[in-house]
């Protein structure tokens, strides 16, 4: 019985009903065993208790087993439903992919083929049998590259095509066309999925490509007609050649210009054939027929060319040749006969005008020489006359003074006093005329030295204070420190005349005299509260014997003071100016260079003879400046001083100019920055290679130490902009001192 019980308990494969049946039989057997057992020790009762406990445990295990079986049944049902749905979804996806009108394939993130439809690679019949789940993408590309239905360019091998295809595969999105045999085309599109896979779509675009080609052919035909119509309406002759120098296009104008027969201008005619017919009838200065043939047959890129050809019938054609992107070339002919005839007529007119200008220039030079001689003669006459007049005038003044001091009657005394006053005026006029004559002729002897401004103004105050007090004017002289470089005598004469005029013309108010520093100069100013000078009269007042309001009783001037002031300031290089307001007063001002001590004296001004040497030297100056306005201003200034200017805007122009005239200049003025990587120092070195002693100056607004070192290395002085005219004149004068330049 125990063996049967064990058999019932250890077989879990029985159904649940069978297991329950066994448990009931075990329970009944145990009960019978208890009832039959008569052991007095109570073993039977203990077995009964164990049996009851075992029954409870079996019942609990049974309930757990039933619950577990329920869960298992539910899971199996859910799994079956999921498998059914997945299979259904896969069938739906396969049907959907198959319904796509394009070839479709899906590769996973490891580039393994997962799914595809029957249209995928259908045009590539030898590739379809190799499609299998898990096929690597690289193997698929290799199969396509080796397909006999794929049409590759002549220069591309299957391996090269596969390499390029795999490179495109690395892009997230790629669209390209693949050409097949029998003039068929596939458009391939690749797109990445979110999980890193790849979707490949193949679309047959054969009809689209053929239609596009047909439309493009129609467009090209239309464009060809439009191009032909455009060429025929051009005023130029045009002919177009392919890369083998064969004629592929032209217009009617080319036949008229070149007088070519219709049989010559035909499709495919060789370029050399046309040149043979043209070289006997046209001449060209800069290009020969052989050079033109060589240009047309070049293997590498042709540079644009331009030249002119002429016929015996006075026809001039401008020829322009240009290579096209397909390595063909186009040549155009433009009739410029009228322009060239006009240019020749203009050149002849310019030559005639230049001859006339030269004749007038010579006449003016003769007149100028005559005028200078007359002016020199006048100056000598004035100097001699002044000397001869002053002696008898002094004697007459002595006699009249004697009469005035003789104690005669009142009438005699009055006449003598008036005569002395008149003679004083005559003496002042003679002195003024003598000063003007010296200043005009350049014979005035200038002694440039340091003049104390404060001492000069104090002496002038002492000189004019009594005269101002006599008129009731307030004369104020503002003290000033420092010294200026000037001629003491002429500087005093300038201020004397200006103060005298201010006192003479001012009826009421005051006269203010002062000096103020302005950088490296000291500016002298004389203010008055007189009647003022109209703007139209501010130039007239500096003429000889010119007096404003000459009928006024207060105007006792000689009309020479301001003329002397202007000439003295010009000789001393003290810029002079005037500003005035009618009814308010007038201000005269001029500037002189400031110096701090005897060791800082400026270079003495050149004597009149030195200036004359510059005018007579015939100095030829090469001026190279790319700023047209500055070049023109410098040229006019140098010519005003007597130099001859050869101006150029670049190094190339300067070289061409010197080559044309065949001589070297006497001096060189060159800008440093000449554009396009050119600089004046290079030109200085080139010209000094031919003339080591050539005087040269480099002009630049660059004040850097580096540029100065470069100039020092080239032994060339840097002249900074704005150009100082005094430095420029000093340079030109020094250039006249070379042994090769001797004044005539």
């Amino acid at each position: 019985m125990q063996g049967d019980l064990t058999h019932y308990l250890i077989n879990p494969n029985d159904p649940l009903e069978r297991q329950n049946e066994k448990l009931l039989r075990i329970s009944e057997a145990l009960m019978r065993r208890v009832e039959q057992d008569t052991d007095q020790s109570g073993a039977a009762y203990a077995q009964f208790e164990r049996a009851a406990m075992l029954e409870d445990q079996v019942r609990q295990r049974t309930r757990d087993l039933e619950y577990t079986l329920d869960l298992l049944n539910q899971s199996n049902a859910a799994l079956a439903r999921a498998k059914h749905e997945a299979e259904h979804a896969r069938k739906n996806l396969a049907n959907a992919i198959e319904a796509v009108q394009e070839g479709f394939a899906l590769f996973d993130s490891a580039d393994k083929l997962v799914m595809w439809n029957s249209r995928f690679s259908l045009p590539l019949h030898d590739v379809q049998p190799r499609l299998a789940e898990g096929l690597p993408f690289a193997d698929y590309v290799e199969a396509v590259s080796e397909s006999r239905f794929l049409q590759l360019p002549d220069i591309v091998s299957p391996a090269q095509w596969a390499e390029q295809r795999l490179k495109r595969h690395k892009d997230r999105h790629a669209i390209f066309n693949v050409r097949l045999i029998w003039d068929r085309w596939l458009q391939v599109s690749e797109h990445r999925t979110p999980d890193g896979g790849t979707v490949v779509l193949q679309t047959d675009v054969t009809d689209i490509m053929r239609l596009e080609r047909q439309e493009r052919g129609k467009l090209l035909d239309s464009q060809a007609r439009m191009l032909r119509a455009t060429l025929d309406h051009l005023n130029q002759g045009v002919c177009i050649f392919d890369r083998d120098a064969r004629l592929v296009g032209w217009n009617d104008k080319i036949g008229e210009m070149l007088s070519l027969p219709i049989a010559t201008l035909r499709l495919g005619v060789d370029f050399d054939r046309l040149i043979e017919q043209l070289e006997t009838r046209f001449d060209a200065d800069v290009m020969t027929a052989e050079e033109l043939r060589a240009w047309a047959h070049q293997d590498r890129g042709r540079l644009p060319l331009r030249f002119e050809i002429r016929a015996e019938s006075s026809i001039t054609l401008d020829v322009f040749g240009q290579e096209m992107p397909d390595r063909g070339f186009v040549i155009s002919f433009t009739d410029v006969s009228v322009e060239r005839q006009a240019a020749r007529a203009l050149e002849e007119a310019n030559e005639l005008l230049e001859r006339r200008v030269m004749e007038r220039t010579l006449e003016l030079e003769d007149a100028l020489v005559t005028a200078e001689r007359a002016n020199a003669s006048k100056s000598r006459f004035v100097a001699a006359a002044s000397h001869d007049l002053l002696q008898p005038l002094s004697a007459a003044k002595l006699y009249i003074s004697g009469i005035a001091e003789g104690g005669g009657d009142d009438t005699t005394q009055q006449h003598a006093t008036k005569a002395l006053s008149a003679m004083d005026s005559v003496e002042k006029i003679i002195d003024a005329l003598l000063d003007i004559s010296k200043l005009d002729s350049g014979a005035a002897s200038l002694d440039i030295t340091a003049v104390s401004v404060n001492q000069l103004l104090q002496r002038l105050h002492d000189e004019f204070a009594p005269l101002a007090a006599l008129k009731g004017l307030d004369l104020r002289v503002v003290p000033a420190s420092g010294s200026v470089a000037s001629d003491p005598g002429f500087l005093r004469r300038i201020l004397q005349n200006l103060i005298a005029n201010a006192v003479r013309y001012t009826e009421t108010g005051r006269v203010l005299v002062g000096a103020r520093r302005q950088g490296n100069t000291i500016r002298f100013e004389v203010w008055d509260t007189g009647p003022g000078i109209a703007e139209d009269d501010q130039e007239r007042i500096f003429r000889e014997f010119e007096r404003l309001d000459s009928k006024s009783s207060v105007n006792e001037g000689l009309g020479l003071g301001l003329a002397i002031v202007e000439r003295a300031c010009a000789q001393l290089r003290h810029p002079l100016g005037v500003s005035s307001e009618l009814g308010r007063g007038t201000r005269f001002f001029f500037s002189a260079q400031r110096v701090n001590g005897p060791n800082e004296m400026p270079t003495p001004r050149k004597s009149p003879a030195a200036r004359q040497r510059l005018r007579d030297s015939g100095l030829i100056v090469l001026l190279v400046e790319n700023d047209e306005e500055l070049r023109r201003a410098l040229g006019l200034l140098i010519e005003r001083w007597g130099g001859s200017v050869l101006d150029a805007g670049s190094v190339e122009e300067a070289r061409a100019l010197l080559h044309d005239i065949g001589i070297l200049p006497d001096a060189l003025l060159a800008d440093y920055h000449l554009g396009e990587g050119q600089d004046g120092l290079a030109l200085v070195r080139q010209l000094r290679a031919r003339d080591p002693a050539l005087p040269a100056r480099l002009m630049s607004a660059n004040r850097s130490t580096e540029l100065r070192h470069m100039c020092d290395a080239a032994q060339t002085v840097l002249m900074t902009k704005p150009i100082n005219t005094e430095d420029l004149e000093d340079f030109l004068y020094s250039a006249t001192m070379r042994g090769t330049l001797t004044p005539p």
Side-chain angles (χ1 to χ4, degrees):
M1 184 66 186
Q2 188 174 357
D4 293 338
L5 182 60
T6 302
H7 174 72
Y8 284 123
L9 291 177
I10 64 176
N11 189 2
N13 294 326
D14 290 340
L16 186 61
E17 292 80 1
R18 178 63 176 165
Q19 294 180 12
N20 291 333
E21 182 182 354
K22 290 181 178 181
L23 290 174
L24 290 175
R25 292 177 65 182
I26 292 172
S27 177
E28 291 175 356
L30 291 174
M31 289 297 297
R32 286 193 302 268
R33 182 75 176 267
V34 170
E35 289 176 354
Q36 294 174 3
D37 194 356
T38 57
D39 190 355
Q40 295 181 359
S41 62
Y45 182 77
Q47 291 180 355
F48 173 78
E49 286 183 343
R50 286 197 296 272
M53 292 177 61
L54 181 61
E55 182 180 4
D56 291 336
Q57 290 178 358
V58 170
R59 190 179 295 112
Q60 182 64 35
R61 292 291 300 276
T62 301
R63 287 196 296 270
D64 292 343
L65 182 60
E66 290 176 349
Y67 179 74
T68 302
L69 288 174
D70 290 340
L71 290 180
L72 180 61
N73 291 332
Q74 293 176 6
S75 299
N76 290 335
L79 179 60
R81 287 195 302 271
K83 290 178 63 176
H84 177 73
E85 291 175 357
E87 186 64 26
H88 183 67
R90 182 177 180 86
K91 290 181 179 179
N92 289 338
L93 178 60
N95 293 333
I97 293 175
E98 190 63 32
V100 174
Q101 297 299 316
E102 301 171 323
F104 176 90
L106 174 64
F107 290 83
D108 61 14
S109 58
D111 272 348
K112 303 291 185 179
L113 183 61
V114 177
M115 298 182 67
W116 67 97
N117 63 1
S118 60
R119 292 182 179 85
F120 185 69
S121 298
L122 180 61
L124 304 172
H125 302 294
D126 52 356
V127 174
Q128 276 196 316
R130 300 179 62 177
L131 298 178
E133 189 171 352
L135 177 69
F137 186 84
D139 294 346
Y140 160 72
V141 171
E142 181 182 0
V144 173
S145 68
E146 296 174 350
S147 173
R148 62 187 180 87
F149 297 98
L150 180 67
Q151 183 171 340
L152 297 176
D154 295 337
I155 60 174
V156 178
S157 65
Q160 291 174 334
W161 187 91
E163 182 180 0
Q164 295 173 0
R165 178 69 177 85
L166 290 175
K167 287 182 179 179
R168 298 296 299 270
H169 179 62
K170 295 179 180 179
D171 299 334
R172 289 191 59 83
H173 302 283
I175 299 178
F176 54 91
N177 294 330
V178 177
R179 186 171 185 177
L180 308 179
I181 61 175
W182 304 319
D183 194 26
R184 297 185 62 82
W185 293 83
L186 277 181
Q187 183 183 78
V188 179
S189 303
E190 278 193 12
H191 305 279
R192 286 282 189 269
T193 62
D195 62 350
T198 304
V199 173
V200 181
L201 298 177
Q202 295 176 347
T203 306
D204 191 332
V205 293
T206 301
D207 294 338
I208 298 176
M209 295 294 290
R210 291 175 179 175
L211 180 61
E212 181 182 355
R213 185 188 309 158
Q214 182 180 359
E215 293 298 326
R216 186 165 61 247
K218 293 179 181 179
L219 180 61
L220 289 175
D221 291 341
S222 175
Q223 289 178 343
R225 289 193 297 271
M226 292 178 61
L227 178 61
R228 180 72 186 189
T230 303
L231 291 177
D232 287 338
H233 282 80
L234 289 178
N235 196 31
Q236 297 172 311
V238 178
C239 48
I240 305 171
F241 297 86
D242 61 13
R243 62 187 302 168
D244 297 322
R246 292 174 300 190
L247 186 64
V248 293
W250 65 94
N251 62 356
D252 296 335
K253 195 72 175 178
I254 191 70
E256 298 176 8
M257 284 186 172
L258 303 180
S259 300
L260 292 173
I262 298 178
T264 302
L265 289 175
R266 67 178 188 276
L267 192 64
V269 68
D270 191 69
F271 179 79
D272 295 345
R273 175 80 179 276
L274 294 177
I275 295 300
E276 289 175 0
Q277 297 195 19
L278 296 178
E279 63 180 333
T280 58
R281 295 187 290 113
F282 289 93
D283 295 326
D285 292 337
V286 298
M287 178 164 287
T288 64
E290 291 300 326
E291 291 174 337
L292 189 56
R293 291 190 185 95
W295 178 85
H297 294 287
Q298 282 183 9
D299 294 334
R300 288 176 289 181
R302 307 177 187 87
L303 296 176
L305 57 84
R306 189 163 203 158
F307 59 94
E308 290 185 359
I309 58 177
R310 292 178 302 279
E312 295 179 355
S313 56
S314 300
I315 295 178
T316 303
L317 301 179
D318 180 61
V319 184
F320 178 72
Q322 175 94 32
E323 186 176 80
M324 295 186 298
D326 62 352
R327 296 240 29 253
F329 59 92
V330 59
I331 296 182
S332 64
F333 297 83
T334 306
D335 191 343
V336 293
S337 304
V338 177
E339 290 86 345
R340 296 301 176 264
Q341 291 174 4
R344 285 192 292 269
L346 181 60
E347 185 177 355
E348 293 173 358
N350 286 337
E351 291 177 357
L352 178 60
L353 182 60
E354 288 179 359
R355 288 196 298 270
R356 291 181 179 177
V357 170
M358 182 62 70
E359 293 173 358
R360 297 295 184 270
T361 302
L362 294 175
E363 293 175 1
L364 289 175
E365 288 179 353
D366 292 340
L368 181 61
V369 171
T370 302
E372 290 178 349
R373 290 175 180 173
N375 188 50
S377 177
K378 180 202 72 172
S379 299
R380 290 193 298 269
F381 170 76
V382 170
S386 300
H387 181 269
D388 293 341
L389 287 173
L390 286 175
Q391 284 190 355
L393 185 61
S394 299
K397 289 178 65 176
L398 289 175
Y399 283 118
I400 294 174
S401 297
I403 294 174
E405 295 174 0
D409 54 24
D410 292 340
T411 302
T412 302
Q413 290 285 341
Q414 292 176 1
H415 289 325
T417 301
K418 291 181 180 179
L420 284 173
S421 177
M423 288 183 178
D424 287 339
S425 298
V426 172
E427 186 175 2
K428 291 179 181 178
I429 291 174
I430 293 174
D431 289 341
L433 286 174
L434 188 58
D435 287 342
I436 290 176
S437 176
K438 290 180 180 179
L439 292 170
D440 283 343
S441 64
S445 178
L446 300 180
D447 181 18
I448 305 298
T449 185
V451 181
S452 171
V453 176
N454 192 48
Q455 291 179 7
L456 175 62
L457 294 181
Q458 187 60 45
R459 291 173 185 172
L460 291 172
H461 177 268
D462 296 341
E463 179 180 348
F464 285 97
L467 181 60
L470 186 63
K471 292 190 65 175
L473 301 176
D474 180 15
L475 174 64
R476 295 186 182 181
V477 177
V478 181
S481 60
S483 300
V484 295
S486 185
D487 180 278
F490 275 105
L491 181 60
R492 179 184 178 89
R493 189 68 175 270
I494 292 169
L495 288 171
Q496 280 178 328
N497 287 334
L498 293 178
I499 298 173
N501 270 8
V503 172
R504 181 180 299 115
Y505 285 92
T506 303
E507 290 295 321
T508 58
R510 64 177 181 173
V511 175
L512 176 64
V513 182
R516 64 180 68 182
R517 291 189 178 185
Q518 288 188 336
N520 293 327
T521 64
I522 291 182
R523 180 166 175 166
F524 293 89
E525 299 185 3
V526 178
W527 298 68
D528 65 56
T529 57
I533 305 171
E535 186 174 355
D536 295 339
D537 296 329
Q538 290 180 8
E539 291 186 7
R540 190 162 61 92
I541 59 176
F542 294 105
R543 300 173 187 170
E544 300 90 339
F545 302 105
E546 191 72 46
R547 295 184 297 172
L548 303 180
D549 195 19
S550 58
K551 297 181 180 179
S552 175
S553 60
V554 300
N555 191 349
E556 301 174 353
L558 305 176
L560 293 175
L562 291 181
I564 294 174
V565 168
E566 183 189 38
R567 286 163 172 78
C569 285
Q571 191 76 6
L572 292 168
R573 295 294 181 92
H574 297 340
L576 174 65
V578 60
S579 64
S580 183
E581 184 177 352
L582 289 176
R584 299 289 299 272
T586 303
R587 175 174 66 105
F588 286 91
F589 52 90
F590 65 92
S591 300
Q593 186 176 353
R594 181 170 60 89
V595 293
N596 295 326
N599 295 329
E600 299 185 15
M601 288 299 299
T603 303
R605 298 307 309 165
K606 293 173 287 297
S607 65
R611 292 192 175 181
Q612 188 63 38
R613 179 185 181 93
L614 177 57
R615 287 194 294 269
D616 297 342
S617 64
L619 189 72
I620 299 176
V621 181
L622 176 59
L623 173 62
V624 186
E625 168 63 58
N626 60 348
D627 189 312
E628 184 176 354
E629 293 297 329
L630 179 57
R631 185 170 73 247
R632 184 180 305 162
L634 286 173
L636 291 175
L637 181 61
I638 295 172
E639 289 176 350
R640 190 180 304 149
W641 288 338
S644 298
V645 179
L646 303 174
D647 62 277
S650 65
V651 174
E652 287 80 4
E653 290 182 21
R655 292 173 183 163
L657 184 60
L658 295 179
H659 180 269
D660 291 341
I661 64 176
I663 62 173
L664 285 177
D666 300 317
L668 170 63
L669 277 172
D671 188 20
Y672 177 61
H673 296 287
L674 293 174
E676 298 181 358
Q678 304 180 26
D679 64 79
L681 275 179
L683 183 60
V684 171
R685 297 188 187 97
Q686 292 171 11
L687 294 184
R688 280 187 173 168
R690 301 168 61 184
D691 182 3
L694 176 67
R697 289 290 185 273
L698 189 72
M699 303 179 295
S700 177
N702 184 356
R703 291 171 169 79
S704 65
T705 306
E706 180 182 1
L707 181 57
R708 294 187 181 276
H709 289 336
M710 293 169 60
C711 291
D712 293 341
Q715 296 182 351
T716 302
V717 176
L718 175 63
M719 189 177 292
T720 57
K721 296 179 181 179
I723 302 300
N724 186 302
T725 56
E726 294 183 6
D727 294 342
L728 179 58
E729 187 180 6
D730 290 341
F731 164 65
L732 297 179
Y733 172 70
S734 65
T736 65
M737 304 303 293
R738 299 179 69 196
T740 56
L741 292 175
T742 303

